[in-house]
Amino acid sequence: RSDDVELAQSSGINAEYGVRAFLVPDPAGNFKVSFKVPDVYGVFQFKVNYDRTGYTHLYSTTQVSVRPFRHTEYERFIPSAYPYYASAFSMMGGLIVFSFFFLYHQEKPKTE
């Protein structure tokens, strides 16, 4: 029944933060929830506790550790950093042009 769907909740609990979201059914009849974990590292416990009169009691708990990315897990090229990449390459190009003119430019001898 659709009114019972609104009562099924999932919660992610940490020592400091808690997130509560409603489970939504998909066309296959499975209930799913999707939410972002707060930007806090630690251990979260995801719980589903569905207890209604006349229905089977459903209790599920899953413990998940949230950790920062390792240095090898980041994207190789981050799209939001393209301006920084461009500035680094333009500085390298400027250094090459400056070095070329500094090394190969000759002043004309002064004539009095």
Side-chain angles (χ1 to χ4, degrees):
R1 290 182 12 189
S2 63
D3 57 344
D4 289 335
V5 172
E6 296 175 9
L7 301 176
Q9 292 181 353
S10 173
S11 58
I13 301 170
N14 190 351
E16 299 171 2
Y17 295 95
V19 176
R20 184 162 295 188
F22 290 104
L23 295 167
V24 249
D26 63 0
N30 298 323
F31 290 92
K32 295 182 179 182
V33 66
S34 171
F35 59 89
K36 264 191 169 178
V37 177
D39 193 16
V40 176
Y41 305 132
V43 178
F44 278 83
Q45 189 171 21
F46 297 105
K47 293 182 180 180
V48 173
N49 189 5
Y50 186 71
D51 188 18
R52 298 292 178 258
T53 307
Y55 293 102
T56 303
H57 178 76
L58 176 63
Y59 181 77
S60 172
T61 180
T62 304
Q63 192 169 352
V64 178
S65 63
V66 177
R67 61 173 177 77
F69 285 130
R70 296 175 60 195
H71 70 283
T72 57
E73 294 176 338
Y74 284 103
E75 296 179 28
R76 191 157 303 264
F77 293 105
I78 303 169
S80 61
Y82 285 157
Y84 299 103
Y85 301 149
S87 67
F89 287 120
S90 69
M91 288 296 291
M92 285 189 268
L95 179 66
I96 291 169
V97 169
F98 175 77
S99 300
F100 178 78
F101 281 119
F102 185 77
L103 291 173
Y104 296 107
H105 178 70
Q106 248 183 351
E107 290 185 12
K108 295 181 181 176
K110 288 187 177 182
T111 57
E112 292 182 37

